[in-house]
Amino acid sequence: MKSFVRYINFLIKAKFIFELPKSSEVLLYDSYKRFTDDIFCYLDKKNCTEFFIRGQEINIPIFLRSLLSLKFFDFKRNYILKYIQFVSPKIVITFTDNDMVYYTLKDNFKNKIIFIVMQNGLRGNYDNFESFKNYKANSKYSLVVDYFLTVSQPISKKYKKYIKAKYIPIGLFRNNLVKKQKTIYKKR
């Protein structure tokens, strides 16, 4: 009953989009303002499509195609897959490194699309690695992406236990947007 009420609230709050998404080279998965502000420092906005998965928008044509596929058990995942298929990007990028569904998408596109995760925050001893372990143990899907850009080598090692990817420690992406300032010290 709670999940039914949650879905009704989701539908009430969402903005309905009645046109199909545009095809583009890059799909920004789980788009939100801070993410797009940062990523558009490197990518041309004209080559990107933003994909909202938290209920900000529901694309009605994709929603209907998902309903017609009759995969109700995995409806959210199916909606996401249909959206990606329609946009047919070369690259899908997310900053949401704790979205389990994202890690299950790669197997549906094999070598056609590159999936990239950029870690957006710190993970420590008390963080959600336990949820990755539980998900992997109880899911029929593999957890796979092409590239996982992490904060550090030790964090990469923790994620490697659960997610297959090429790991690249880059620090925090937002910090890389700040230019280094050279400090000049005066001799005394």
Side-chain angles (χ1 to χ4, degrees):
M1 183 65 176
K2 283 183 181 180
S3 67
F4 178 73
V5 172
R6 193 174 80 213
Y7 284 118
I8 296 300
N9 282 333
F10 184 82
L11 292 173
I12 291 170
K13 293 177 182 177
K15 176 182 175 185
F16 295 105
I17 307 297
F18 292 95
E19 57 191 43
L20 287 165
K22 68 175 181 141
S23 184
S24 67
E25 291 182 26
V26 179
L27 180 69
L28 304 176
Y29 177 92
D30 193 16
S31 188
Y32 54 93
K33 184 164 176 32
R34 194 180 92 203
F35 168 43
T36 55
D37 287 350
D38 293 349
I39 203 78
F40 288 145
C41 291
Y42 294 98
L43 299 175
D44 186 355
K45 197 174 192 171
K46 291 181 277 186
N47 298 329
C48 299
T49 296
E50 295 181 61
F51 180 35
F52 301 94
I53 64 162
R54 299 180 195 215
Q56 304 98 313
E57 294 182 358
I58 297 175
N59 186 287
I60 297 302
I62 302 294
F63 184 84
L64 294 174
R65 289 172 191 218
S66 300
L67 280 176
L68 292 174
S69 70
L70 302 176
K71 294 183 181 178
F72 299 113
F73 181 72
D74 264 350
F75 187 79
K76 178 183 176 182
R77 184 173 181 278
N78 191 41
Y79 173 79
I80 292 167
L81 288 170
K82 295 279 184 212
Y83 197 98
I84 293 171
Q85 287 169 351
F86 194 84
V87 173
S88 66
K90 293 179 183 173
I91 301 170
V92 180
I93 302 173
T94 189
F95 271 10
T96 311
D97 56 298
N98 55 359
D99 179 356
M100 301 300 173
V101 173
Y102 184 79
Y103 298 106
T104 68
L105 302 173
K106 174 64 182 174
D107 281 344
N108 292 278
F109 300 101
K110 297 294 178 193
N111 298 324
K112 296 176 186 172
I113 301 174
I114 296 170
F115 284 80
I116 300 171
V117 177
M118 300 171 128
Q119 184 182 354
N120 70 5
L122 299 174
R123 302 285 173 255
N125 293 335
Y126 304 106
D127 227 314
N128 67 350
F129 288 103
E130 194 66 29
S131 61
F132 282 99
K133 181 179 179 181
N134 292 337
Y135 190 87
K136 190 171 181 178
N138 297 315
S139 176
K140 63 182 178 183
Y141 303 112
S142 319
L143 302 179
V144 181
V145 292
D146 293 291
Y147 298 97
F148 200 135
L149 310 179
T150 62
V151 172
S152 67
Q153 191 63 42
I155 295 294
S156 294
K157 286 181 182 177
K158 286 187 176 187
Y159 275 116
K160 276 183 187 177
K161 295 176 187 175
Y162 312 109
I163 302 162
K164 183 180 176 191
K166 179 174 182 184
Y167 288 86
I168 305 170
I170 64 163
L172 284 172
F173 183 75
R174 294 197 96 196
N175 290 350
N176 294 333
L177 296 173
V178 179
K179 291 184 179 181
K180 287 185 180 180
Q181 294 181 355
K182 188 174 182 180
T183 305
I184 301 173
Y185 296 99
K186 294 181 180 179
K187 292 183 182 180
R188 292 185 183 190

